Amino acid sequence: MRRIFLSAVSMVMLATTAQSQDLSNGDKAAAVLQSFQTGDATAMKEYVNPDKYIQHNPYFPDGIAPVIGAVESGAFQGTLVNSYRTLSDGDFAVVQSLYSGAWNNKSPLVAIDVFRFEDGLIVEHWDNMMPLASKPNPSGNTQLDGVTQIVDADKTEANKTKAHDYIDTVLVKGEIDKIGNFVKDDNYIQHHPDIANGVSGLKAALGEFAKKGITMVYDKIHAVHGEGNFVLVMSEGKFAGKPFAYFDLLGLNDGYVDQHWGIMAAIPPASDWKNDNGKF
């Protein structure tokens, strides 16, 4: 069993470790993110391909140079980065974090960053962010609490399939009556700030959206990444008629989905993008 919460001190150590140390892709990704806190871009220079960095954050141009420049210029001074869950899945790494402190004078943000590797170096990046709620959800859960241990490594592929089918069946196809195939009874811990635990909580929230004339639509699943009992499903759709990106991090146990951490964020119009790669 492997603990995956990394303290600020250990993250700094990772960022300055020689490449000769055997780090997982998840460890490298977490160290790169820690650069925003330390102002030290060493990890970015060591673990990101200097000649190929495809950026899907619409507010940054392609290439790692603009990001390194912003870090070294002090643009993120005072920012705190705490990573809660870090997954390694082949050539991909997923990191769920909280960005706080002097985060551009904004409220704290919960984020999920996804990185793709080639030959041990990061060559592509996706992310999704939403504000940290000021209070727990109706069931008393926060957006980041809950289990952090990776277990069931041998069930990774089965869990990825289960997570994909859950999102595809219940949210893309809208067959909510089949949710029992994926969630056992009402054993479903919800970390969305506005939704209560259980199938009943999810149905109630969707019902409230409908009463207000708000639709939440999932149109397409773009990617599924996971390790052991954690799986991230990346999708796009519409919320209240506007284009949205949905990053659903699911916890699975004994073949069923039992926890959900979700980040939903509006996709800005193409006229505001700093690159031509799209959100996905």
Side-chain angles (χ1 to χ4, degrees):
M1 189 177 295
R2 174 162 73 86
R3 182 168 177 77
I4 58 175
F5 178 86
L6 298 177
S7 68
V9 173
S10 64
M11 298 280 275
V12 173
M13 291 174 65
L14 285 175
T16 57
T17 297
Q19 281 191 343
S20 59
Q21 184 172 348
D22 185 19
L23 296 180
S24 70
N25 286 340
D27 290 335
K28 291 178 182 178
V32 166
L33 293 180
Q34 192 62 20
S35 299
F36 292 104
Q37 173 168 315
T38 64
D40 180 355
T42 299
M44 291 183 173
K45 295 174 182 177
E46 289 185 353
Y47 304 137
V48 180
N49 189 319
D51 302 314
K52 179 182 179 181
Y53 185 69
I54 303 168
Q55 177 65 262
H56 292 275
N57 182 317
Y59 300 109
F60 276 91
D62 264 342
I64 193 59
V67 184
I68 290 176
V71 168
E72 294 186 330
S73 72
F76 299 101
Q77 184 176 4
T79 296
L80 303 177
V81 182
N82 288 313
S83 295
Y84 285 76
R85 294 166 184 89
T86 302
L87 317 179
S88 295
D89 183 5
D91 291 331
F92 291 88
V94 176
V95 186
Q96 180 201 41
S97 307
L98 176 66
Y99 293 82
S100 58
W103 175 250
N104 199 23
N105 295 318
K106 297 179 181 178
S107 63
L109 296 174
V110 181
I112 293 179
D113 290 271
V114 180
F115 299 90
R116 182 172 69 85
F117 289 73
E118 288 181 1
D119 300 322
L121 295 178
I122 294 170
V123 295
E124 197 163 8
H125 169 253
W126 301 259
D127 65 1
N128 219 28
M129 300 181 178
M130 69 184 295
L132 178 70
S134 60
K135 59 182 181 180
N137 69 14
S139 294
N141 308 319
T142 73
Q143 289 158 275
L144 290 162
D145 64 5
V147 63
T148 61
Q149 303 287 343
I150 292 179
V151 297
D152 297 334
D154 60 319
K155 298 179 181 177
T156 295
E157 293 307 316
N159 284 340
K160 287 169 64 175
T161 298
K162 192 79 170 187
H164 171 277
D165 291 349
Y166 169 57
I167 297 297
D168 183 57
T169 301
V170 176
L171 295 174
V172 176
K173 296 176 181 175
E175 299 175 357
I176 197 166
D177 57 305
K178 294 183 179 179
I179 196 169
N181 295 337
F182 308 97
V183 179
K184 193 172 183 179
D185 300 323
D186 230 27
N187 183 26
Y188 185 67
I189 301 174
Q190 178 64 255
H191 297 275
H192 188 284
D194 301 316
I195 303 176
N197 286 347
V199 175
S200 57
L202 178 60
K203 289 183 176 179
L206 294 176
E208 285 300 313
F209 287 155
K211 288 179 183 179
K212 297 176 182 178
I214 299 173
T215 56
M216 183 173 67
V217 177
Y218 278 60
D219 291 320
K220 181 179 181 180
I221 294 173
H222 283 274
V224 179
H225 307 297
E227 183 180 7
N229 52 319
F230 292 100
V231 179
L232 172 69
V233 182
M234 300 165 58
S235 313
E236 74 172 304
K238 296 180 180 63
F239 184 76
K242 297 180 180 179
F244 259 70
Y246 300 105
F247 280 28
D248 293 287
L249 180 61
L250 304 173
L252 292 97
N253 181 39
D254 196 26
Y256 288 90
V257 178
D258 67 352
Q259 294 210 48
H260 171 256
W261 300 265
I263 295 181
M264 50 186 290
I267 301 175
S271 58
D272 292 342
W273 296 356
K274 301 298 183 183
N275 61 69
D276 297 323
N277 303 316
K279 183 73 173 180
F280 295 95

